[in-house]
Amino acid sequence: MENIDSTNPLLEDYLENRLSPPEKESFEKDLRQNPALQEELNQYKSAYKALKIIRIESLSDELRNYASAKKRRSRLVLSSIAACLLILMLSVLSAISRYSDEALFRNYFQPYPPLYTTLRGETHDELSALHLGLKAYSAQNYDLAITYFQSLLPQDSTFADAQFYLANTLMAKGQPGQALTSLDAVSQSFPQVMWYRSLALIAEGKTREAEKLLVALSQNPEDDFYQKKAQLLLNDLDSPVRKFFFR
């Protein structure tokens, strides 16, 4: 503590109780015998108390400022931690959801191109129900396409083509269960039929059946296109994330 200006250096030591017993006894003896020293001590006490109050208030302000700054830092740290945890949680949830049956179906399903020569290699008349259905299918007018395709079942010679595109239309509309019924009526030897049937099975939660078809496709050396697609899908079905969360 800084000294207050005084003619007697013993005043602060006396008030701070820093005098030895003999010094204290001698000083108090002088006080009793010296009114001027008593007056000086009284004045010094007043100034000394005022200084202590100022210092206490200053220290309190410093403590309050420190506590406030510490609280702000704590809030900032907690906010940063919460933000990091949220980002981490969203990343984990995104990674997990990528391997669900629904997500796998959505990621791999693309409607088969509206070709005019499909399963049987025939060219169809532009006014035929199949051609009109394919035009509606290409325009994503799926309800109209279903009407044309169903009109060909089962009597028309283009029955297999109509069933195959009807299945694709139903899958595009989010009806894989009904699509399976149409695919069941088509020869299972075609790679494209096996591929779309496996996707419909996955969407229906029948992954074991789908894996059998995909394994057969992945081992088919005559169709490199579906062989690669099947292997990619098999890898996702066998991923550690999927095994942990979905099995």
Side-chain angles (χ1 to χ4, degrees):
M1 180 178 293
E2 297 178 359
N3 289 331
I4 305 172
D5 291 341
S6 171
T7 57
N8 193 330
L10 295 177
L11 296 178
E12 184 174 341
D13 290 341
Y14 176 73
L15 292 175
E16 287 288 342
N17 201 24
R18 291 197 293 259
L19 297 177
S20 65
E23 290 174 329
K24 183 179 181 181
E25 183 179 354
S26 175
F27 183 78
E28 289 178 343
K29 182 178 179 180
D30 289 342
L31 279 176
R32 289 192 294 271
Q33 297 174 354
N34 189 343
L37 181 60
Q38 291 180 8
E39 180 62 25
E40 185 180 0
L41 178 62
N42 292 334
Q43 293 177 359
Y44 190 87
K45 280 183 179 179
S46 299
Y48 186 75
K49 287 180 180 179
L51 181 60
K52 292 193 74 171
I53 291 172
I54 291 172
R55 288 174 175 172
I56 290 172
E57 289 179 348
S58 176
L59 179 59
S60 297
D61 289 340
E62 289 180 11
L63 290 174
R64 281 195 294 269
N65 292 335
Y66 174 78
S68 179
K70 186 176 181 181
K71 189 174 182 180
R72 286 196 298 272
R73 286 196 297 270
S74 298
R75 283 200 298 265
L76 182 60
V77 169
L78 289 175
S79 298
S80 300
I81 292 173
C84 291
L85 288 175
L86 179 60
I87 292 172
L88 178 62
M89 191 175 0
L90 290 175
S91 300
V92 171
L93 290 175
S94 176
I96 293 171
S97 63
R98 178 181 180 275
Y99 292 97
S100 67
D101 292 341
E102 181 183 353
L104 288 177
F105 171 77
R106 191 168 56 249
N107 290 338
Y108 281 93
F109 173 72
Q110 290 291 333
Y112 192 78
L115 305 177
Y116 291 46
T117 55
T118 54
L119 302 183
R120 297 182 299 107
E122 296 183 4
T123 303
H124 304 292
D125 184 86
E126 290 189 2
L127 296 179
S128 70
L130 180 62
H131 185 97
L132 295 173
L134 288 172
K135 287 183 67 175
Y137 173 83
S138 179
Q140 298 185 6
N141 188 349
Y142 294 131
D143 291 332
L144 181 59
I146 288 174
T147 300
Y148 281 119
F149 294 145
Q150 287 181 335
S151 71
L152 298 170
L153 310 180
Q155 72 280 2
D156 195 275
S157 61
T158 58
F159 170 78
D161 290 342
Q163 287 282 28
F164 178 71
Y165 277 108
L166 176 60
N168 268 265
T169 305
L170 291 167
M171 291 169 73
K173 284 174 60 67
Q175 301 172 14
Q178 295 182 41
L180 284 171
T181 302
S182 292
L183 290 171
D184 285 342
V186 185
S187 172
Q188 304 299 303
S189 62
F190 294 105
Q192 59 265 51
V193 175
M194 296 173 66
W195 172 250
Y196 284 99
R197 180 174 174 76
S198 68
L199 291 180
L201 287 168
I202 289 173
E204 288 291 288
K206 301 176 181 179
T207 54
R208 297 296 183 189
E209 294 179 52
E211 285 174 347
K212 293 178 183 178
L213 290 174
L214 292 169
V215 169
L217 277 175
S218 69
Q219 295 173 351
N220 181 7
E222 298 179 2
D223 195 307
D224 182 68
F225 178 74
Y226 285 106
Q227 183 185 56
K228 291 178 180 178
K229 288 170 72 74
Q231 189 57 60
L232 288 173
L233 183 48
L234 281 171
N235 290 342
D236 279 346
L237 287 171
D238 197 45
S239 70
V241 173
R242 182 176 170 84
K243 286 181 178 179
F244 185 82
F245 288 100
F246 297 103
R247 292 188 181 179

